[in-house]
Amino acid sequence: MDWVERTSQLRQWTRRGARAPHKPLLFLYALSRFQQDAEGELRYSAVEEDLRGLLAEYGPGNRTTPAYPFHHLVSDGVWEVRTERGPGSPGTGVRELRSTGATGRLTPELRAALRREPSLLGRLARVLLDLNFPPSLHSELCEAVGLGLEEAETGPLPAATRQRDRRMREAVLTAYEYQCAFCGYDGRIGAVPVGLEAAHVRWWAFDGPDDVENGLCLCSLHHKLFDKGVLGLGEGRGGGHRILVSQGFVGRSAAARAHVVTLAGRPVIGPQPGARPVAAAHRSWHTSQVFHGSPRPATTA
């Protein structure tokens, strides 16, 4: 059985590009727990808060419950659920999962494969990360679920997996004249830009194209905050775009205010004349699927 291919084809709820990372997050969490205890079971009532926190942090803004992936991941052949009555999930009801003592873990076949081939765990995790989250969040996500991965463990993705266009970075940085579109940072060491990155507005994992209309030149800090939903893009007056800052962001230091809070309402810097700005469809996707909460009012600082 090709477990990498099966992992890449998890059946997820989809509608107009909406994110539903419930199954990938539970699968990553289960791989982490397998690393710690290969035969251990995950009692729903014991892991519910962990899973709820992961969904709140790395899922879209709409409220949801960890009961859904706990039940539905069974259909993908990588996860099993048992209750005090025996094999089988009682459904997606939180009360039923709690009251029946429901437990879940990776299927016996997958556990056996992971024991035979330890590097398989890293490859499965790599597929889950690459197909569902931007690279800026991978290390943080592994830390959040307690997953220890070495770069050498992950190996290459399957040949059929869509490949990124490495030319996008240069095209986006050129369009924005090698400065952060949010703060104007334009650092170099010699002739080489440092700390500047090409950010996908609509995530590559969700069919975001590798082109300038889906890109922003951002410094490392603002790229991370953009992918986390702290920062977003709004429609500016008289055309162009303005920066959104989530009301959920809290930063009391002078640095937090200067680098994040005071960005609220500011116009985006660039792109240069003749370069295509971020397309409305990609901006709308980011606002609905990544940006958290409501935007702060524009600052006067």
Side-chain angles (χ1 to χ4, degrees), residues 51-74:
L51 297 177
R52 192 184 306 280
L54 289 170
L55 285 168
E57 187 73 12
Y58 298 101
N62 53 301
R63 298 182 66 181
T64 187
T65 170
Y68 289 124
F70 204 91
H71 167 78
H72 287 297
L73 188 58
V74 171

Side-chain angles (χ1 to χ4, degrees), residues 19-284:
R19 287 203 302 132
H22 309 65
K23 287 183 178 181
L25 285 170
L26 174 57
F27 201 169
L28 284 168
Y29 186 85
L31 289 173
S32 167
R33 298 299 287 266
F34 178 86
Q35 272 190 330
Q36 300 165 33
D37 181 0
E39 294 302 323
E41 295 181 322
L42 305 180
R43 183 174 289 270
Y44 179 78
S45 58
V47 302
E48 181 179 5
E49 286 308 307
D50 283 352
L51 297 177
R52 192 184 306 280
L54 289 170
L55 285 168
E57 187 73 12
Y58 298 101
N62 53 301
R63 298 182 66 181
T64 187
T65 170
Y68 289 124
F70 204 91
H71 167 78
H72 287 297
L73 188 58
V74 171
S75 66
D76 293 280
V78 298
W79 177 254
E80 64 177 9
V81 174
R82 297 178 61 90
T83 69
E84 295 165 350
R85 298 191 292 263
S89 170
T92 58
V94 172
R95 291 183 180 179
E96 289 77 9
L97 287 166
R98 291 173 181 165
S99 65
T100 58
T103 60
R105 62 177 176 175
L106 303 175
T107 61
E109 298 83 2
L110 179 51
R111 297 200 309 274
L114 290 168
R115 284 192 291 268
R116 284 195 308 271
E117 187 182 357
S119 66
L120 176 62
L121 189 148
R123 297 202 303 277
L124 299 185
R126 167 77 181 278
V127 168
L128 291 167
L129 291 167
D130 275 6
L131 297 184
N132 295 280
F133 305 98
S136 67
L137 300 183
H138 289 184
S139 295
E140 177 186 315
L141 238 173
C142 287
E143 185 175 344
V145 299
L147 192 59
L149 291 183
E150 297 293 335
E151 187 67 27
E153 288 181 326
T154 59
L157 287 175
T161 300
R162 172 172 158 247
Q163 298 296 310
R164 296 174 186 266
D165 186 344
R166 298 183 181 277
R167 296 170 296 180
M168 178 188 174
R169 180 179 184 275
E170 186 63 27
V172 170
L173 267 59
T174 298
Y176 285 84
E177 300 183 284
Y178 293 86
Q179 61 178 336
C180 176
F182 287 176
C183 69
Y185 168 81
D186 60 356
R188 293 173 179 263
I189 181 164
V192 180
V194 289
L196 287 172
E197 301 166 356
H200 283 75
V201 179
R202 182 185 181 115
W203 291 356
W204 183 88
F206 286 83
D207 298 321
D210 289 325
D211 60 36
V212 172
E213 286 184 297
N214 188 42
L216 283 172
C217 176
L218 297 176
C219 67
S220 301
L221 171 64
H222 292 138
H223 186 180
K224 181 66 173 287
L225 296 179
F226 188 66
D227 284 345
K228 285 282 285 184
V230 172
L231 300 176
L233 283 179
E235 198 168 351
R237 293 179 180 177
H241 296 124
R242 62 186 176 89
I243 303 167
L244 305 180
V245 178
S246 172
Q247 288 185 343
F249 176 79
V250 176
R252 298 183 178 86
S253 68
R257 290 194 59 79
H259 296 303
V260 183
V261 176
T262 59
L263 295 178
R266 283 190 193 176
V268 169
I269 302 169
Q272 62 175 289
R276 300 185 303 275
V278 174
H282 302 324
R283 175 173 58 82
S284 296

Side-chain angles (χ1 to χ4, degrees), residues 282-300:
H282 302 324
R283 175 173 58 82
S284 296
W285 182 89
H286 186 276
T287 300
S288 66
Q289 298 301 313
V290 180
F291 186 72
H292 276 272
S294 301
R296 288 171 174 260
T299 65
T300 58

